[in-house]
Amino acid sequence: MAPRILLIGGNAKHFHAAKAAGLDVVYVQFPDEFKPEYGPQVVGAVLADYTDWDTFRPLAEAAHRAWGFTEVVSLTEPGLDPAGRVRDLLGLGGPSYEVSHRFTDKYVMRRRLAAVADPDVPAIGAEVMTDSASLTAFGARYGYPFIVKPGAGTASFGVHRVDSAGDVPAVYEAISSQRDVSDHPFLGQYDLDEYVMEEYIDGTLYSAEAFSFAGRHTVLAITEAVTLPGTVVHAGHAVPARLPAAEVAAVERMIPAFLDALGYADGPSHTEFKFSPRGPVVIESQNRIGGALINEMVHEVHGVDMHELTMKWPHGLVNPVSQAPQARGAAASWLAVAQPGEIVEIAGVEEVTSDPATLAVDLGGATAGDRVRSLDGSWDGLGHVAVRAPDTTAAIEYSRARVADIKVHTRAVAD
């Protein structure tokens, strides 16, 4: 019988990776996100709110009795902590809930780094926001600007930059309004109760795409992000990052120290960082593969498929990768956006997809009738287009041009 995994959340590409690795899948998904075409690809399914542990625990136990999975995998942010809980409950290998939560709770991560105090992983000031006065006090203590963001979450949603004491009332009001929103898709999977204040690190955002093999951490690629002016939305991502060798070496020292500090031993990680006078500083990290078609770009440029590693490594079906293979050309993805409203038509996708330079197009299944929200985070984009090119600069420019060739027509709708 093929090895069997419990896959929590995720999408078709994760099924394909599991099947390509020779694995059977027991699938866990929110009821409204399960699609009929998934049925033939799984040996069993649990449809429930897997972020509610009281509900999910007995279902996970029943699924284990019924289908006998031996590993738990999640490559989606809301599924990471539940996956750790199931491993703890059933005594399975892989990251525990405690370790996973050091990634998914941004304040827990900051406290952990401060406690470990590894000089290769510079710590920055961070506190939980309690009220408007706590924002003012943080600015007085650490200076301006500083960042306020949800303690849980991803895709830049709910991130605010406070440039001066005069910004505090408006930022606090914006956070209060976000907590009152009930119809954003982000809120179905994340909790906005806790916001974290952090020192601001200026500069370009990068991410290290790494994989950990029984405590040995290998940086497989470094991705460069392009942030839209005046926002915190990362519209572009490119591999390899345009960094000198000395900075690459600093990252390759920092990432293993960071993952050791968090107690992470096995699996993929996506760690965002910026450079400071003290070296690279972690902004946040996830114990999963990065979005924005990053895996497709790493596979294209470095020849390593992190989906394959994720599925095969726990079963001993793949050897460790000791260092990143040499880059072959470059790749970049760009976020597709549209005016807020209801989608009337999407044109140009076939032309872009058929371009030999196009690596992947993922618009998340967007179609006529879907709602486009204002761009408050990359969640509010439609998806990404990734392209290949001879070098990183050319890849960024061409990915932006190809996205512009996809025309999304919307019409205004009443709120």
Side-chain angles (χ1 to χ4, degrees), residues 350-372:
E350 290 185 5
E351 176 191 352
V352 171
T353 302
S354 63
D355 183 345
T358 297
L359 181 61
V361 176
D362 181 4
L363 298 185
T367 188
D370 289 349
R371 179 81 176 268
V372 177

Side-chain angles (χ1 to χ4, degrees), residues 7-11 14-15 27-30 50 73-76 79:
L7 178 64
I8 302 179
N11 53 42
H14 304 153
F15 289 136
Y27 188 44
V28 180
Q29 186 55 279
F30 298 113
Y50 53 79
V73 175
S74 185
L75 291 170
T76 184

Side-chain angles (χ1 to χ4, degrees), residues 87-132:
R87 295 186 192 105
D88 292 347
L89 176 68
L90 301 175
L92 303 179
S96 66
Y97 169 77
E98 180 180 13
V99 170
S100 177
H101 200 61
R102 291 171 186 159
F103 289 85
T104 59
D105 188 314
K106 295 173 177 57
Y107 187 58
V108 169
M109 183 198 76
R110 291 295 178 203
R111 287 189 302 171
R112 178 74 176 183
L113 295 183
V116 171
D118 189 321
D120 285 331
V121 191
I124 62 173
E127 296 177 9
V128 173
M129 185 197 79
T130 55
D131 53 20
S132 179

Side-chain angles (χ1 to χ4, degrees), residues 220 239-240 296-305 324-331 359 387-392 395:
L220 301 173
V239 179
E296 286 79 354
M297 294 191 292
V298 172
H299 192 196
E300 171 70 17
V301 174
H302 291 284
V304 179
D305 185 342
Q326 187 76 21
R328 301 169 302 180
L359 181 61
V387 303
R388 54 177 70 85
D391 60 70
T392 300

